[in-house]
Amino acid sequence: MLTPGNRVPALKIETVAHGSFDLDVDKGENGALVIQYRGLHCPICIKQMAEVEAALDDFTALGVEVIMITTDTAERAAETAAKANVSRLRVGHSLPLSEAREGWGLNIST
């Protein structure tokens, strides 16, 4: 589980349209915002993705890099990005479920 004051796990992930993302290298001057989204099946996530893209310039001005990540495949992540009509936002995909759960604290409901 992620807790304030502790270092986050390493994150190296492929993105839909922006190559690979490495949290140790690609963070902004003031850090990075990593948002986990559930996947293509989640209409709330698609809406959030569009809202985050609309705010990218604000995050850039603050020196913060932004990435949304999912355990979905590259194909499903690309479909989600298309549904959200985003092109500038980094959308990472194929995060192993075990890493999402153990390293990033993803809670999977039954």
Side-chain angles (χ1 to χ4, degrees), residues 1-4 6-9 100-106:
M1 175 185 290
L2 298 176
T3 54
N6 290 337
R7 187 167 173 78
V8 298
R101 280 184 172 155
E102 295 163 24
W104 290 92
L106 178 67

Side-chain angles (χ1 to χ4, degrees), residues 11 13-21 35-37 39-40 45 49-50 52-53 56 66-82 84-95:
L11 178 64
I13 194 165
E14 290 301 314
T15 68
V16 169
H18 300 97
S20 18
F21 177 89
I35 303 168
Q36 278 196 63
Y37 75 95
L40 176 59
C45 300
M49 192 175 278
V52 170
E53 173 147 307
L56 279 180
V66 180
I67 185 168
M68 290 186 73
I69 62 175
T70 184
T71 59
D72 271 356
T73 64
E75 294 78 21
R76 287 179 59 87
E79 192 174 340
T80 306
N85 196 30
V86 300
S87 60
R88 295 175 44 222
L89 177 63
R90 292 179 183 186
V91 179
H93 59 80
S94 307
L95 181 68

